[in-house]
């Protein structure tokens, strides 16, 4: 799956996902509705949709949607 | 009626939980009267002394095995609360999930998992119920990760039931995120 689809799935985890814009370059922690529960939803989505396990600590090492997507891809292709 | 379990102390996932006592009244009152934290909870009025009296009354229900109210500690500091109550023949209700604004996000989530584990594994229930205000979008999103069944809507209150089987599937995913999965 490409990054645009990933960004869309990422956006869907937000409580206001219908009204925000999430792009590959989005610094997701800057989004007003970002919180730890949203982060967990994103990581569960990644497990479900990509079959990849990303920990909370690994998520903390990323700042943009694209950076997280790259981590997912690296693990998927490992 | 459930057989009461005495001297409960949960120590898993890097957090420690024990049953509340009257000495926790001030901490509980501070969380329950925080206008942001408590906006979707049933209202708490009165004073710390009223809270202490409520806890005293609760301790009798605890002694009867009817209710368990946990306080969670992380790095030696109290962080938040969870409660198991309203038991019926096959399910427990989980609620009063309330954590300090500055509590690490993982702590609140792992505390929820730990008390649900207690309800399923120690109290031997097969289902878990919980109630969420439909406007509490963040908590609603969290609970939906478990795939519960919505069985009633009363005003703004959504009532869910979650089977142990579905709980364990979501539990496994969540614990992997916090490196407690296998």
């Amino acid at each position: 799956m490409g990054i645009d689809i990933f960004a869309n799935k990422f956006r869907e985890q937000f409580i206001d996902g219908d009204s925000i814009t999430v792009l590959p370059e989005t610094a997701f922690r800057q989004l007003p509705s970002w919180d730890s529960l949203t982060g967990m939803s994103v990581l569960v989505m990644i497990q479900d949709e990509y079959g990849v396990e990303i920990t909370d600590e690994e998520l903390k090492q990323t700042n943009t949607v694209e950076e997280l997507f790259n981590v997912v891809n690296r693990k998927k292709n490992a | 009626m459930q057989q009461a379990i005495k001297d409960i102390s949960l120590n898993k996932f890097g957090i420690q939980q024990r049953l509340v006592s009257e000495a926790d009244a001030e901490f509980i009152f501070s969380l329950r009267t925080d206008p942001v934290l408590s906006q979707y909870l049933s209202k708490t009025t009165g004073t710390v002394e009223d809270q202490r009296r409520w806890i005293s009354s609760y301790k009798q229900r605890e002694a009867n095995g009817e209710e368990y109210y946990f306080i969670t500690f992380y790095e030696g500091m109290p962080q938040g609360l969870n409660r198991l109550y309203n038991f019926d023949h096959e399910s427990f209700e989980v609620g009063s999930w309330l954590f300090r604004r500055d509590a690490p996000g993982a702590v609140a989530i792992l505390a929820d998992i730990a008390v649900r584990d207690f309800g399923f594994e120690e109290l031997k229930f097969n289902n878990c119920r919980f109630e969420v205000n439909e406007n509490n979008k963040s908590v609603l999103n969290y609970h939906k990760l478990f795939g519960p069944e919505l069985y009633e809507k009363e005003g703004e209150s959504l009532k869910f039931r979650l089977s142990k089987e579905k709980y364990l599937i979501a539990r496994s995913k969540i614990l992997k995120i916090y490196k407690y999965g296998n």
Side-chain angles (χ1 to χ4, degrees):
Chain A
M1 280 188 232
I3 191 166
D4 291 334
I5 294 175
F6 180 81
N8 201 43
K9 290 184 182 295
F10 190 103
R11 177 185 55 75
E12 289 171 351
Q13 307 313 310
F14 283 72
I15 59 174
D16 56 352
D18 289 342
S19 56
I20 61 172
T21 299
V22 173
L23 301 171
E25 61 266 31
T26 296
F28 52 83
R29 283 190 199 79
Q30 307 306 316
L31 293 168
S33 53
W34 172 265
D35 62 11
S36 56
L37 295 183
T38 308
M40 197 192 65
S41 294
V42 167
L43 297 181
V44 170
M45 177 277 290
I46 290 172
Q47 286 186 39
D48 289 344
E49 301 287 341
Y50 294 85
V52 167
E53 294 172 13
I54 306 286
T55 67
D56 185 53
E57 286 301 315
E58 289 172 317
L59 178 65
K60 287 176 182 174
Q61 305 306 312
T62 64
N63 296 301
T64 67
V65 174
E66 185 171 13
E67 286 178 13
L68 179 60
F69 179 69
N70 290 339
V71 174
V72 172
N73 265 343
R74 273 200 300 275
K75 286 202 167 194
K76 198 164 178 60
N77 296 324
Chain B
M1 185 187 294
Q2 282 276 330
Q3 184 74 27
I5 302 177
K6 309 291 184 184
D7 300 322
I8 299 165
S9 178
L10 308 180
N11 190 348
K12 59 200 301 189
F13 310 138
I15 59 175
Q16 297 77 44
Q17 297 167 293
R18 61 162 173 79
L19 297 171
V20 304
S21 68
E22 292 182 33
D24 301 315
E26 188 167 350
F27 175 71
I28 295 171
F29 187 78
S30 72
L31 293 187
R32 291 198 65 93
T33 54
D34 181 298
V36 173
L37 294 179
S38 66
Q39 60 180 313
Y40 298 116
L41 296 183
S42 52
K43 294 302 172 208
T44 295
T45 57
T47 65
V48 172
E49 179 58 24
D50 293 325
Q51 182 70 69
R52 190 199 63 73
R53 276 196 286 272
W54 186 95
I55 295 170
S56 178
S57 172
Y58 148 75
K59 294 302 276 187
Q60 186 57 54
R61 298 193 296 277
E62 176 196 300
N64 292 339
E66 296 169 358
E67 188 171 329
Y68 296 101
Y69 198 3
F70 290 93
I71 181 170
T72 296
F73 291 81
Y74 177 67
E75 296 183 342
M77 296 297 294
Q79 300 293 330
L81 306 157
N82 305 74
R83 191 163 59 107
L84 304 185
Y85 54 105
N86 284 347
F87 304 156
D88 64 22
H89 67 282
E90 53 91 40
S91 68
F92 64 96
E93 185 164 350
V94 59
S96 299
W97 188 34
L98 196 56
F99 276 70
R100 292 167 49 147
R101 296 195 208 188
D102 60 354
V107 168
I109 292 166
L110 292 169
D112 179 52
I113 298 292
V115 299
R116 293 201 210 205
D117 281 356
F118 179 78
F120 284 119
E121 300 303 327
E122 300 300 323
L123 302 183
K124 310 294 185 191
F125 287 111
N126 293 316
N127 290 282
C128 159
R129 288 172 284 115
F130 44 92
E131 197 170 316
V132 187
N133 187 298
E134 64 181 355
N135 298 307
N136 194 353
K137 302 289 187 188
S138 183
V139 170
L140 196 55
N141 263 10
Y142 167 73
H143 281 305
K144 283 185 174 178
L145 288 176
F146 292 84
E149 167 204 353
L150 174 67
Y151 71 88
E152 188 176 332
K153 185 177 187 301
E154 187 178 337
E156 292 180 336
S157 180
L158 303 177
K159 298 182 181 182
F160 295 95
R161 181 183 294 110
L162 176 67
S163 69
K164 181 178 178 180
E165 290 72 27
K166 285 195 170 184
Y167 166 71
L168 291 175
I169 292 170
R171 177 187 188 275
S172 175
K173 294 178 188 178
I174 292 169
L175 291 183
K176 284 175 184 175
I177 290 167
Y178 300 109
K179 296 197 287 188
Y180 289 104
N182 50 19

